[in-house]
Amino acid sequence: MSLNPKLIRKDFPIFQKNDNLIYFDSAATSQKPIQVIEAVADFYRKFNANVHRGVYRLSVEATEAYEGSRRKVAQFINAANSREVVFVRNTTEALNLVAHSIGINQMKKGGKIVLTMMEHHSNIVPWQLVSKIMNHRIEYIPFDGEGYLDLSVADKILRDADVFSFVHASNVLGTVNDVKLLCRMAHDHGALAVVDAAQSVPHMPVDVRDIGCDFLAFSGHKMLGPTGIGVLYGRYELLDGMEPFMGGGEMIKEVHLDRSVWNDVPWKFEAGTPNIAGAVGLGAAVDYLRGLGMENVRTHEHMLTAKALELLAELKHVKIYGPENPKHRCGLVAFNLGDIHPHDLATYLDNHGICVRAGHHCAMPIHTRLGLSASTRASFFVYNTVEELEIFQEVLKKAVKFFKLA
Ligand code: PMP
């Protein structure tokens, strides 16, 4: 079934306020449908209380709403057990949790971590932090000129690795990696497989059991949900054997002056009062996306990406990064237009009602590898249309004249 973005737009108050708004920055954060906004507001209106603590009815209802969202998220990614879903703030926190708990508490000093050269900073810096403390080595699998991982060198690089952490869909190149294969390669080398799914869970069907990953991280705000809520999926046995990342209330069973006993999984990783309303909003976002159907979401974005690549390629001065085949891409395109600085181009587009991202998109190593300091990125979601892409192309043509590209 194909999606009807014009109908979908009616659910998003931001487009009611400005129907001409062309929002091409969903890879940074998505817009929110009324169903999510209302779920958050309704929680505060009707159910607000702290979770897991109170014996009174309101607190039981708040706990049920919070834990109900955990079950929805678990089903959405096909986790075997909802206790494999840990609520965190975002992908960044999820990856920091894994890096800290595995990298410091489980790996021996001088261990080996393998990443790829197409990682977002949030899947590089946490590993650098723990490596500094533990003297671990970090090695990177490179990508080729078209933006595909160079798997010919992967086996050599993965030798003796303890952890292999990699992105599912690149937020700059758009490449969708074969994560099932990458997980298998990690396991063949006895390494844990960690997936940064920030750009995949919102946009395509993701099944953690089919992928075979050990950990998978994503953010609510990129999938129509609120900011400040994200997910770390982890296999139960692994989470159970891990030390907590943060200490405090909620994450303990007993506290004595000289020792404490941790709570069960997943609560031992959720120190302090959690983002209860955020989790409830994420549950509503999951309902919304399931209602659309993730296969349909993927098909719609594939259609938009193919069209964007086609329209951009018609422009003389454009340089597009990442795979040529739209089937291997997620719904975003990073490019440069002649020597126009991406910040100037993004400002020009903004003056014409089009929101795009400009800069290094928190992926400096990708830009360094491409010999760039910055790029302009257009990213798409369920509320974007072909008509918007056509306007985008027209405005880019005007920009070519405005910036006097030869
Ligand atoms: N990984 C990737 C691939 C991303 O695109 C992003 C967000 N740009 C992140 C991680 C970090 O997400 P967050 O800022 O929500 O933690």
Side-chain angles (χ1 to χ4, degrees), residues 27 90-92 120 122 167 169 171 196 198-199 219 221-222:
N90 46 35
T91 307
T92 304
H120 185 278
S122 65
V167 73
N171 67 315
D196 171 355
Q199 299 294 351
S219 300
H221 71 95
K222 292 186 200 283

Side-chain angles (χ1 to χ4, degrees), residues 22-337:
I22 298 184
Y23 187 75
F24 281 170
D25 198 21
S26 295
T29 199
S30 69
Q31 295 302 341
K32 320 299 174 199
I34 190 69
Q35 290 84 342
V36 167
I37 297 168
E38 281 300 328
V40 173
D42 241 34
F43 173 79
Y44 285 124
R45 276 193 210 109
K46 298 182 189 157
F47 306 108
N48 182 51
N50 213 329
V51 289
H52 302 143
R53 295 178 195 172
V55 285
Y56 53 93
R57 193 168 55 85
L58 202 58
S59 171
V60 172
E61 283 172 351
T63 304
E64 181 41 42
Y66 182 68
E67 294 300 330
S69 281
R70 196 191 305 278
R71 288 193 292 275
K72 284 183 189 177
V73 170
Q75 260 187 15
F76 189 61
I77 57 170
N78 197 29
N81 179 337
S82 64
R83 287 172 62 181
E84 297 181 319
V85 168
V86 180
F87 282 132
V88 290
R89 275 189 308 143
N90 46 35
T91 307
T92 304
E93 187 174 309
L95 292 169
N96 273 274
L97 192 166
V98 178
H100 193 274
S101 188
I102 298 291
I104 293 186
N105 300 316
Q106 294 199 354
M107 282 170 63
K108 291 200 192 81
K109 281 202 165 182
K112 181 168 169 184
I113 292 153
V114 175
L115 309 174
T116 82
M117 282 195 196
M118 61 168 79
E119 298 309 314
H120 185 278
H121 296 164
S122 65
N123 198 25
I124 299 175
V125 185
W127 300 107
Q128 289 176 340
L129 286 172
V130 303
S131 297
K132 229 174 163 178
I133 300 168
M134 297 295 289
N135 215 13
H136 297 323
R137 275 173 302 144
I138 304 180
E139 290 191 26
Y140 295 88
I141 296 180
F143 60 87
D144 65 18
E146 226 200 310
Y148 292 108
L149 286 178
D150 180 0
L151 295 184
S152 67
V153 292
D155 270 321
K156 196 165 149 234
I157 295 175
L158 280 167
R159 202 168 296 149
D160 302 324
D162 297 285
V163 175
F164 180 23
S165 189
F166 46 87
V167 73
H168 191 170
S170 162
N171 67 315
V172 177
L173 301 165
T175 318
V176 177
N177 288 316
D178 183 348
V179 279
K180 207 169 164 174
L181 173 68
L182 297 180
C183 287
R184 216 167 42 233
M185 291 178 88
H187 293 150
D188 285 348
H189 288 274
L192 289 171
V194 185
V195 183
D196 171 355
Q199 299 294 351
S200 59
V201 166
H203 302 286
M204 60 190 77
V206 170
D207 178 330
V208 288
R209 278 189 277 175
D210 180 54
I211 290 172
C213 55
D214 296 306
F215 298 98
L216 183 129
F218 55 100
S219 300
H221 71 95
K222 292 186 200 283
M223 53 187 288
L224 311 179
T227 49
I229 187 78
V231 171
L232 173 67
Y233 157 82
R235 281 201 297 115
Y236 185 85
E237 315 79 74
L238 291 170
L239 290 175
D240 199 38
M242 280 161 62
E243 287 292 303
F245 175 44
M246 283 192 284
E250 287 273 322
M251 51 74 69
I252 43 78
K253 273 187 180 153
E254 293 170 29
V255 176
H256 307 278
L257 291 181
D258 58 344
R259 71 189 168 87
S260 300
V261 179
W262 311 146
N263 204 342
D264 295 327
V265 169
W267 305 286
K268 79 169 168 183
F269 296 107
E270 296 178 1
T273 299
N275 183 355
I276 309 164
V280 169
L282 177 58
V286 164
D287 286 342
Y288 191 91
L289 285 171
R290 289 192 87 165
L292 296 178
M294 290 312 290
E295 284 291 355
N296 301 327
V297 172
R298 174 76 177 138
T299 305
H300 180 67
E301 290 182 24
H302 172 250
M303 180 276 291
L304 290 175
T305 308
K307 189 72 188 169
L309 291 173
E310 181 192 315
L311 292 176
L312 281 170
E314 285 171 15
L315 304 174
K316 198 167 123 204
H317 304 274
V318 87
K319 170 81 187 128
I320 299 168
Y321 308 107
E324 267 175 38
N325 186 343
K327 278 198 180 134
H328 300 163
R329 301 184 68 116
C330 60
L332 60 89
V333 183
F335 64 96
N336 268 301
L337 194 59

Side-chain angles (χ1 to χ4, degrees), residues 317-363:
H317 304 274
V318 87
K319 170 81 187 128
I320 299 168
Y321 308 107
E324 267 175 38
N325 186 343
K327 278 198 180 134
H328 300 163
R329 301 184 68 116
C330 60
L332 60 89
V333 183
F335 64 96
N336 268 301
L337 194 59
D339 58 1
I340 307 174
H341 193 283
H343 284 159
D344 292 336
L345 184 61
T347 306
Y348 186 84
L349 288 163
D350 183 43
N351 289 339
H352 292 78
I354 303 174
C355 310
V356 295
R357 192 92 167 158
H360 53 59
H361 320 302
C362 295

